[in-house]
Amino acid sequence: MRIFLILCALFSSQSNSKVLWQDYRLTYLYGENYRLGEPTRQVLTIEHAAQTSWGDNFFFLDHMRFQDGNRTNYAEIQPRFSLAKNSHLNYQFGPVQDVLLAAHIEMSSFATNVLYGIGLDLAIPGFRFFQTNLYRRNNDKVADNWQLTLVWAYPFQIGEQQFLLDGFLDWASGSVDQRANLNLTPQLKWLISPHLGLESPLWLGIEYVLWQNKFGVADSEHLRSHERNVNVLIKWHF
């Protein structure tokens, strides 16, 4: 927690910070194979991603609707403080382009978890970006543990059609309260806005969720927590 407070102080000191690039996105998902709760859900997600003069930040809010009429919200915010941008030193070595102090806050009605650690921006041919972050998890209601997060975006074309394969991988270590768990969630999207005469990017595709021991709950015959879930998605950038 002490490291997280230091990180917050560093962010607040950037009184002359500038937004270099930002993007707003709205996504609709529909899936029928969710685990731990109702299997059929609709999810409306709003996202904001930004590159700034001090680093970068990503925020999203999930609004989930269930067949029984219940609704829940879940949000995350992920600021990262660039050592290269703020020290004016060169942190490049091999594929590493930058080293960052990383924070991550998970917020729901059940718990608020604070993660802090270090991140690397990697330059990998063909990828729009590739990030790796190693966190210490300061959990609200269970024992603390570790998390490794990878985030990527890989654009490609087939003929004149534009596609994007992006997503994330979270691996969290086990503890006395939970099992180690792996969440791999890629999205494969096709850019349909040019065919509709739209200037703002509009994507149609699928999201695949492979989640072993979801939420750290051990999978068993009596409680299935291994999730294999295909969601239909549509995403609008505005």
Side-chain angles (χ1 to χ4, degrees):
M1 178 60 75
R2 188 174 301 172
I3 296 176
F4 174 72
L5 293 174
I6 293 172
L7 185 59
C8 289
L10 289 171
F11 290 148
S12 64
S13 68
Q14 304 303 306
S15 57
N16 295 319
S17 63
K18 297 179 180 179
V19 175
L20 307 177
W21 169 90
Q22 63 181 335
D23 185 33
Y24 294 89
R25 310 158 195 163
L26 187 64
T27 303
Y28 171 79
L29 291 168
Y30 176 84
E32 299 181 344
N33 292 290
Y34 286 90
R35 295 291 193 186
L36 303 183
E38 277 203 31
T40 301
R41 305 178 192 181
Q42 300 179 79
V43 184
L44 187 65
T45 301
I46 186 165
E47 302 170 277
H48 176 254
Q51 283 279 348
T52 70
S53 56
W54 51 262
D56 57 49
N57 186 57
F58 178 68
F59 168 83
F60 75 84
L61 171 67
D62 283 342
H63 175 69
M64 289 165 278
R65 297 191 171 205
F66 306 90
Q67 283 189 315
D68 63 4
N70 286 329
R71 302 175 184 181
T72 62
N73 296 313
Y74 173 78
E76 294 185 9
I77 185 168
Q78 304 165 22
R80 301 191 311 155
F81 184 84
S82 165
L83 297 184
K85 288 180 178 178
N86 293 279
S87 69
H88 305 293
L89 299 177
N90 187 353
Y91 287 87
Q92 296 184 4
F93 57 94
V96 175
Q97 299 299 296
D98 195 4
V99 179
L100 305 98
L101 301 180
H104 187 149
I105 305 174
E106 303 171 342
M107 297 165 284
S108 73
S109 58
F110 302 104
T112 299
N113 304 317
V114 177
L115 292 69
Y116 54 87
I118 191 165
L120 301 175
D121 281 349
L122 306 179
I124 299 178
F127 284 80
R128 182 176 296 167
F129 64 84
F130 197 106
Q131 301 172 356
T132 177
N133 301 289
L134 178 64
Y135 299 106
R136 180 61 175 172
R137 294 183 56 92
N138 188 341
N139 297 313
D140 198 359
K141 296 185 178 180
V142 297
D144 296 350
N145 59 339
W146 296 90
Q147 179 171 309
L148 175 66
T149 297
L150 308 179
V151 186
W152 66 87
Y154 184 82
F156 64 96
Q157 289 191 212
I158 299 178
E160 296 182 355
Q161 305 304 310
Q162 299 181 53
F163 296 88
L164 181 65
L165 177 62
D166 59 0
F168 69 90
L169 181 150
D170 285 339
W171 174 85
S173 65
S175 70
V176 294
D177 296 318
Q178 55 188 328
R179 292 289 184 90
N181 61 93
L182 175 73
N183 181 2
L184 173 63
T185 303
Q187 294 183 349
L188 178 61
K189 300 186 285 282
W190 169 45
L191 186 66
I192 63 171
S193 46
H195 304 282
L196 301 175
L198 301 175
E199 293 186 7
S200 299
L202 183 67
W203 300 84
L204 178 66
I206 60 170
E207 175 184 274
Y208 178 68
V209 180
L210 187 159
W211 201 338
Q212 299 285 108
N213 297 323
K214 186 175 182 178
F215 300 140
V217 176
D219 184 77
S220 68
E221 292 183 2
H222 306 290
L223 184 61
R224 292 300 185 188
S225 63
H226 288 347
E227 184 170 294
R228 307 290 185 273
N229 187 22
V230 178
N231 288 273
V232 176
L233 77 83
I234 185 164
K235 178 172 288 191
W236 175 46
H237 294 241
F238 61 96

